[in-house]
């Protein structure tokens, strides 16, 4: 039988006491660390105007940080629902973007990022947000939750918008200056060419090639003068007029009729695909849309003209298609002009870039069209090769929701 050892008992008691002190110290340090990390997290959210959320796909529960309440303008004590953030707080035209994010994350199981607009609940303001969504997977790579970071980027978007608007205004001032300086020389060129033509006819000479050349000079001078005037109207007067209903089918038909002579000469057919029950589309930017149509249609005609693989056996054609699309309009202009090489996809929208090396082309058509689409119309303009041996330019024009509303 072992007798109790007072010294040993005292040692064990002190050891247990020390262990409790260490445990308590670690606990206190852990609590302090957690408080510090939470405070840093809150400061980071406030500094970046961002918030974090998590959606548990198993329990269908939704959790958000304080930053999300701030971004969306919600009262801190309000219960939140996942479907509200998908649909009710998003600008109607952009709900498809949010739904696409969700579908991409669920199908690809990878991080997805995008920009869309929300309606801030406390004041009804339209705000831009940037969202990154990450899937959380289990050991079998099944999605058990989704988490995301949403940041208010309205100030950044506004600065981008203002910068681009300044570029447009600068271009307008440049065209105004050029128009002023070119007006008189163009008038002189036109007048001289007309006088030469009249003088040639009075002499009874029958050199038709000279008369044709003089007529071309006069026409080119008039076209250049008219083009400068049109661009000046577009760039200098940004908000053009009050909202008006824009008849897409009528405007497209007019553009084709204006080019009927050259299209018949080149044996280019055209087709307009638009239903008669298109929703009304109201816009203050009718002139910008008309200018875009002019540029893109001329681009399609020139693409067919310079296509080295043209054959009489294949019909050359331009298809103009308009349809209702997500509360706005989607317009597709498809041609049989031979398509575009992969290297040109990234440069074709740059200013002064042109693939028409055999023509006197400014290389501004697609650049201006994209600028007008993005800035005046708040839409998108994209280019792709199609299945009929050419390219398709796709424009999406939303029913305008003002960025600064």
């Amino acid at each position: 039988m072992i007798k109790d050892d007072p010294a040993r008992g005292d040692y064990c008691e002190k050891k247990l006491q020390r262990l409790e002190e260490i445990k308590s110290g670690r606990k206190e340090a852990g609590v302090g660390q957690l408080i510090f990390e939470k405070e840093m997290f809150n400061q980071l959210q406030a500094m970046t105007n961002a918030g974090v959320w998590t959606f548990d796909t198993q329990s269908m529960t939704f959790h958000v940080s304080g930053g999300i309440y701030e971004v969306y303008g919600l009262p801190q004590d309000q219960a939140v629902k996942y479907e509200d953030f998908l649909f009710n707080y998003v600008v109607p035209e952009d709900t498809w973007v949010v739904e696409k994010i969700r579908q991409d994350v669920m199908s690809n199981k990878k991080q997805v990022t995008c920009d869309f607009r929300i309606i801030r609940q406390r004041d009804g303001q339209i705000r831009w947000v940037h969202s990154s969504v990450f899937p959380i997977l289990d050991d079998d790579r099944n999605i058990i939750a989704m988490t995301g970071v949403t940041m208010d980027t309205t100030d950044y978007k506004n600065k981008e918008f203002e910068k681009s608007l300044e570029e447009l205004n600068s271009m307008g001032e440049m065209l105004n200056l050029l128009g002023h300086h070119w007006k008189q020389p163009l008038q002189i060129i036109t007048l001289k060419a007309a006088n030469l033509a009249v003088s040639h006819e009075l002499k009874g000479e029958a050199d038709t090639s000279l008369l044709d050349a003089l007529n071309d000079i006069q026409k080119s001078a008039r076209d250049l003068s008219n083009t400068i005037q049109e661009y000046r109207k577009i760039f200098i007067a940004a908000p053009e007029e009050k909202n008006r209903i824009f008849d897409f089918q009528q405007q497209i038909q007019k553009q084709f009729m204006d080019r009927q002579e050259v299209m018949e000469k080149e044996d280019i057919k055209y087709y307009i695909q638009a239903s008669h029950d298109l929703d009304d589309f109201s816009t203050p930017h009718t002139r910008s849309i008309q200018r875009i149509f002019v540029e893109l249609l001329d681009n399609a005609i020139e693409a067919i003209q310079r296509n080295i693989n043209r054959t009489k056996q294949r019909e050359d054609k331009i298809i103009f298609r308009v349809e209702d699309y997500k509360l706005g309009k989607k317009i597709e202009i498809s041609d049989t002009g031979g398509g575009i090489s992969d290297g040109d996809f990234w440069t074709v929208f740059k200013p002064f870039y042109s693939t028409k090396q055999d023509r006197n082309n400014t290389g501004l058509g697609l650049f201006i069209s994209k600028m007008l689409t993005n800035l005046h119309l708040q839409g998108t303009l994209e280019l792709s090769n199609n299945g009929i041996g050419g390219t398709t330019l796709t424009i999406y024009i939303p029913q305008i929701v003002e960025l600064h509303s």
Side-chain angles (χ1 to χ4, degrees):
M1 181 175 179
I2 301 174
K3 296 182 179 180
D4 292 337
D5 185 350
R8 182 179 177 86
D10 186 53
Y11 169 77
C12 289
E13 186 177 345
K14 286 182 178 181
K15 186 174 181 180
L16 288 172
Q17 185 178 352
R18 179 57 182 157
L19 287 172
E20 285 297 324
E21 288 175 358
I22 293 172
K23 186 177 178 181
S24 177
R26 285 179 177 174
K27 186 177 180 181
E28 288 176 6
V31 170
Q33 184 68 21
L34 284 174
I35 293 173
F36 173 74
E37 289 175 356
K38 184 177 180 181
E39 182 62 29
M40 287 295 292
F41 177 69
N42 290 335
Q43 287 185 26
L44 182 62
Q45 287 187 103
M47 288 169 62
T48 58
N49 204 4
V52 180
W53 56 268
T54 301
F55 178 64
D56 189 324
T57 57
Q58 307 296 313
S59 62
M60 301 300 287
T61 53
F62 188 51
H63 304 280
V64 300
S65 69
I68 290 292
Y69 283 94
E70 184 62 29
V71 169
Y72 283 82
L74 299 167
Q76 292 288 335
D77 57 350
Q78 179 175 321
V80 293
K81 297 178 181 178
Y82 182 57
E83 54 268 25
D84 285 337
F85 288 86
L86 283 178
F87 306 110
N88 297 337
Y89 301 154
V90 180
V91 168
E93 288 99 334
D94 292 357
T95 52
W96 69 274
V97 179
V98 180
E99 177 60 19
K100 187 174 186 303
I101 295 175
R102 189 186 67 80
Q103 291 177 359
D104 286 350
V105 171
M106 296 296 290
S107 59
N108 299 326
K109 300 179 181 179
K110 293 180 180 179
Q111 176 188 352
V112 178
T113 62
C114 75
D115 298 294
F116 57 92
R117 292 168 295 176
I118 65 169
I119 305 169
R120 192 163 62 186
Q121 297 301 293
R122 69 166 171 265
D123 53 18
Q125 277 196 16
I126 305 296
R127 308 290 291 180
W128 278 98
V129 296
H130 176 80
S131 188
S132 295
V133 184
F134 311 83
I136 298 175
L137 310 176
D138 61 15
D139 293 339
D140 298 322
R141 290 193 55 77
N142 296 313
I143 294 179
I144 57 175
M146 289 187 293
T147 186
V149 179
T150 301
M151 179 185 301
D152 188 321
T153 57
T154 306
D155 291 341
Y156 172 74
K157 286 282 186 181
N158 283 343
K159 287 177 183 176
E160 261 192 344
F161 181 84
E162 307 256 337
K163 182 181 177 182
S164 299
L165 211 53
E166 285 176 9
E167 291 177 4
L168 277 181
N169 289 335
S170 297
M171 189 174 292
E173 291 172 6
M174 180 186 70
L175 287 170
N176 199 25
L177 185 64
L178 285 174
H180 176 73
H181 284 289
W182 286 9
K183 185 176 181 180
Q184 188 175 358
L186 286 172
Q187 288 176 343
I188 292 172
I189 291 170
T190 305
L191 185 60
K192 291 284 186 183
N195 288 340
L196 282 171
V198 171
S199 175
H200 187 72
E201 289 177 350
L202 288 175
K203 289 178 182 179
E205 298 177 6
D207 187 353
T208 55
S209 62
L210 177 60
L211 289 175
D212 289 343
L214 291 171
N215 287 333
D216 285 344
I217 290 172
Q218 293 179 71
K219 184 179 182 301
S220 296
R222 285 195 299 269
D223 288 346
L224 181 57
S225 179
N226 292 336
T227 300
I228 292 172
Q229 293 303 320
E230 281 298 312
Y231 282 137
R232 286 174 65 193
K233 289 177 186 176
I234 290 171
F235 290 119
I236 293 174
E240 297 159 5
E241 62 241 351
K242 294 181 180 178
N243 276 23
R244 292 194 302 171
I245 299 297
F246 188 86
D247 190 328
F248 282 89
Q249 190 157 2
Q250 183 184 55
Q251 290 294 332
I252 294 167
Q253 184 70 45
K254 179 182 181 302
Q255 298 302 332
F256 277 119
M257 294 306 295
D258 289 345
R259 290 155 183 77
Q260 188 171 6
E261 183 179 346
V262 67
M263 293 185 71
E264 287 179 353
K265 181 181 176 182
E266 294 287 340
D267 195 23
I268 301 173
K269 301 293 189 296
Y270 72 87
Y271 302 91
I272 301 174
Q273 299 176 352
S275 62
H276 293 287
D277 59 348
L278 284 174
D279 294 338
D280 288 342
F281 187 83
S282 176
T283 178
H285 297 297
T286 57
R287 193 182 296 127
S288 292
I289 299 176
Q290 289 167 350
R291 189 71 237 172
I292 292 168
F293 284 178
V294 167
E295 294 293 349
L296 299 188
L297 184 52
D298 286 345
N299 185 79
I301 292 172
E302 291 179 4
I304 293 173
Q305 287 175 324
R306 71 176 188 274
N307 183 12
I308 59 175
N309 297 317
R310 289 182 75 181
T311 62
K312 292 183 178 180
Q313 289 75 28
R314 191 184 70 174
E315 181 183 57
D316 283 317
K317 59 187 175 183
I318 297 172
I319 303 172
F320 227 115
R321 182 179 180 183
V322 185
E323 62 182 31
D324 292 320
Y325 185 74
K326 303 187 188 304
L327 302 182
K329 292 289 182 287
K330 182 168 76 171
I331 303 103
E332 293 181 348
I333 302 98
S334 301
D335 62 59
T336 54
I340 189 168
S341 64
D342 292 341
D344 286 331
F345 272 106
W346 302 104
T347 52
V348 73
F349 289 112
K350 291 183 178 180
F352 308 113
Y353 178 84
S354 176
T355 58
K356 310 173 186 69
Q357 298 175 0
D358 58 334
R359 296 178 181 270
N360 295 323
N361 195 278
T362 61
L364 284 172
L366 289 179
F367 166 71
I368 288 173
S369 297
K370 191 169 181 65
M371 291 283 279
L372 291 176
T373 303
N374 291 348
L375 297 177
H376 284 191
L377 308 178
Q378 296 182 30
T380 59
L381 174 59
E382 298 174 350
L383 176 71
S384 61
N385 284 323
N386 57 39
I388 59 173
T391 58
T392 294
L393 282 151
T394 304
I395 315 169
Y396 170 59
I397 308 176
Q399 187 66 61
I400 294 292
V401 175
E402 292 298 335
L403 181 64
H404 300 286
S405 61

